[in-house]
Amino acid sequence: MLLGILAPILTYTLKDGQKAIYIAERHFRFLVFEKDNWQYILGINKELANKVTPKVLVEIAYSID
């Protein structure tokens, strides 16, 4: 549960083996992951979800060194 609401959650495994979670909240979509002891949240407005898919957010996560 995030912010007291139920939201669909998907889990992805990044190239380095870390888990990332994709949360489809009412107005926003988030990909949350940790890399080198840093925590990242990539977020988009739900209107962009058809163009910026979870796969695109995972690719962005891959690009962070």
Side-chain angles (χ1 to χ4, degrees), residues 2-52:
L2 178 69
L3 303 175
I5 57 172
L6 296 175
I9 297 176
L10 302 172
T11 303
Y12 294 89
T13 301
L14 301 178
K15 289 180 183 177
D16 62 1
Q18 290 285 347
K19 297 290 184 190
I21 57 170
Y22 179 80
I23 304 164
E25 195 268 326
R26 184 175 179 186
H27 298 288
F28 298 95
R29 307 296 184 255
F30 301 101
L31 184 74
V32 182
F33 61 97
E34 187 173 310
K35 194 170 211 173
D36 296 325
N37 295 319
W38 284 79
Q39 295 174 347
Y40 294 87
I41 300 174
L42 305 178
I44 58 168
N45 188 295
K46 76 173 186 175
E47 282 81 24
L48 295 176
N50 290 335
K51 292 181 182 180
V52 183

